[in-house]
Amino acid sequence: MTRQLDYQTIHEIFARFRAAEPEPKGELEHVNAYTLLVAVALSAQATDKGVNKATRALFGIADTPEKMLALGEEGLIEHIKTIGLYRNKAKNVMKMSRILVDDYGGEVPSSRAALESLPGVGRKTANVVLNMWFHHPAQAVDTHIFRFGNRSGVAVGKDVAAVERAIEDHVPAEFQQHAHHWMILHGRYVCTARKPKCAACLIRDLCAFEEKNLD
């Protein structure tokens, strides 16, 4: 396993990320907290690009839980059937929407525990919503962040929960709000799984990865 980097090195890494992209954005399209929640739930085992393609028309007619319930499960399926596991996801979205209407007045709660209690919403989905909509310094660890964190030495851990804790423990507070966006974008486009673009990486001199691809 790659060694955990020290505080000063991690600070410099995120300072460079911030200089290159001061306000990183998530790539899932949404218009409010509810559509963000639905989009993130739909994105499990699917690409953001694929989810966006399916939800553009959907969110034009169902951007609140009340409108989603009016659309109905079969109507929802017609919009998302290009997304993997769409039938199960449709059931969860409908159940989630019903709970939001009945228990939360149609509003998305800002509590991690409340979010995680919703059907189809796990810790990662809750953290994305908390970070992107409610501006909490929550860290949503996906496959890109897990790979980058361990490979670079920024956040070393054997599982997702350990990497999330490592980000919270080792990334300086001033970078916590945007940390997961910088990491996911870097992991998605530069620190890729099969052939990382180390020659073009702005932190290659700081990264602890010993098998750098400098072709």
Side-chain angles (χ1 to χ4, degrees), residues 18-149:
R18 181 171 62 187
E21 184 66 63
E23 294 287 334
K25 305 293 183 187
E27 297 186 323
L28 284 172
E29 296 173 7
H30 59 283
V31 297
N32 54 29
Y34 174 71
T35 53
L36 175 61
L37 177 61
V38 171
V40 180
L42 292 176
S43 72
Q45 297 179 277
T47 65
D48 288 0
K49 186 178 294 185
V51 172
N52 289 339
K53 187 176 180 180
T55 58
R56 281 180 195 130
L58 172 65
F59 292 158
I61 60 174
D63 60 356
T64 68
E66 292 87 352
K67 291 177 183 176
M68 191 68 75
L69 291 171
L71 178 64
E73 188 173 321
E74 290 305 315
L76 172 58
I77 285 173
E78 282 303 306
H79 283 88
I80 67 169
K81 59 187 179 184
T82 56
I83 299 175
L85 307 175
Y86 68 90
R87 289 195 180 278
N88 189 54
K89 289 177 180 178
K91 290 182 186 299
N92 283 333
V93 169
M94 300 312 291
K95 291 177 183 175
M96 171 205 306
S97 300
R98 172 51 62 194
I99 293 171
L100 290 176
V101 169
D102 290 349
D103 297 348
Y104 297 97
E107 299 294 324
V108 174
S110 60
S111 152
R112 178 184 282 113
L115 286 167
E116 286 191 56
S117 73
L118 297 171
V121 178
R123 186 175 182 86
K124 187 183 82 169
T125 297
N127 280 349
V128 171
V129 174
L130 289 170
N131 181 283
M132 289 181 64
W133 192 261
F134 296 107
H135 306 297
H136 295 183
Q139 307 302 332
V141 178
D142 71 349
T143 182
H144 301 298
I145 292 175
F146 185 82
R147 178 179 63 253
F148 169 72

Side-chain angles (χ1 to χ4, degrees), residues 156-168:
V156 177
K158 292 183 178 180
D159 55 34
V160 168
V163 169
E164 183 181 331
R165 287 195 299 273
I167 296 170
E168 293 171 345

